[in-house]
Amino acid sequence: MTADAVLRLSGLLAYLVVGLLAAGESAAFVGLFLPGETVMVLGGVLAATGHANLAVMITVAVAGAIVGDAVGYAMGCGLGPSLRTGRLGRVLGPARWDRAEDLVTRRGPTAVFLGRWVGILRALVPAVAGVVGMPYHRFLLWNALGGLSWASAVVLLGYFGGASYTGLENLVGGRWALLVAAVLALVAVLAVVVTGLRQRHRRSPTPPQRELAAGG
């Protein structure tokens, strides 16, 4: 679907296209072939030009992103290592798989959040999380945080780009949606930082262990 075709959409059809492609962007492998992120930006432009509601567009994009990651995770759980060794997995190449697996191994559930912001990892990390057996409740938390922050940011990027051509009134009309999205993104980032610090603290030796290490 071309950019011009997307920008001619409005109302329910616009929400449907953005939601489906937001899900496809995050589903296993699908995001490598569909311009989901680009369409989400154009969804923000539609909101800025009055062809869609900004709050609804953000909600649809967030929901699609979360569902897409869940689909990728389910594929990883169901197909296991064969997902990597299959025809499409081989086409992607070992380097991309290794990068995704390294992130999941080092970062655990936070990799689901961090991978959301990198195109190739956005398509692979959910599947890898399913393959390695990451508990779903942990996956779901970081999937939701990543979906909220990433999808909101992408749609708002398009919104402000479109608003620059349609006047200040569009910016004012979307101030509450912007505030909510900014707060959600801030909460998600803070959660990542806090979790990272807690994991580092757990890996650090206790004082007696340090003394034994020094004495040994």
Side-chain angles (χ1 to χ4, degrees), residues 144-165:
L145 291 173
L148 282 169
S149 56
W150 172 72
S152 298
V154 173
V155 173
L156 286 170
L157 176 65
Y159 178 79
F160 282 114
S164 65
Y165 297 99

Side-chain angles (χ1 to χ4, degrees), residues 196-215:
L197 292 175
R198 290 179 61 185
Q199 290 177 345
R200 180 177 299 179
H201 177 72
R202 290 172 181 172
R203 289 194 297 266
S204 300
T206 59
Q209 290 174 323
R210 292 195 185 100
E211 291 175 4
L212 289 174

Side-chain angles (χ1 to χ4, degrees), residues 84-177:
R84 174 172 179 160
T85 57
R87 179 179 299 179
L88 186 55
R90 292 196 302 271
V91 169
L92 294 175
R96 290 172 171 173
W97 280 102
D98 289 343
R99 186 180 179 188
E101 290 180 357
D102 178 65
L103 181 62
V104 172
T105 300
R106 288 187 296 106
R107 298 292 185 178
T110 57
V112 179
F113 178 91
L114 297 173
R116 176 76 71 174
W117 301 89
V118 182
I120 184 65
L121 295 180
R122 186 159 54 244
L124 291 180
V125 165
V128 171
V131 170
V132 303
M134 181 183 295
Y136 184 71
H137 68 277
R138 301 178 71 190
F139 171 85
L140 179 60
L141 171 63
W142 293 100
N143 175 22
L145 291 173
L148 282 169
S149 56
W150 172 72
S152 298
V154 173
V155 173
L156 286 170
L157 176 65
Y159 178 79
F160 282 114
S164 65
Y165 297 99
T166 57
L168 182 62
E169 65 274 9
N170 284 326
L171 294 177
V172 175
R175 64 187 184 277
W176 293 115

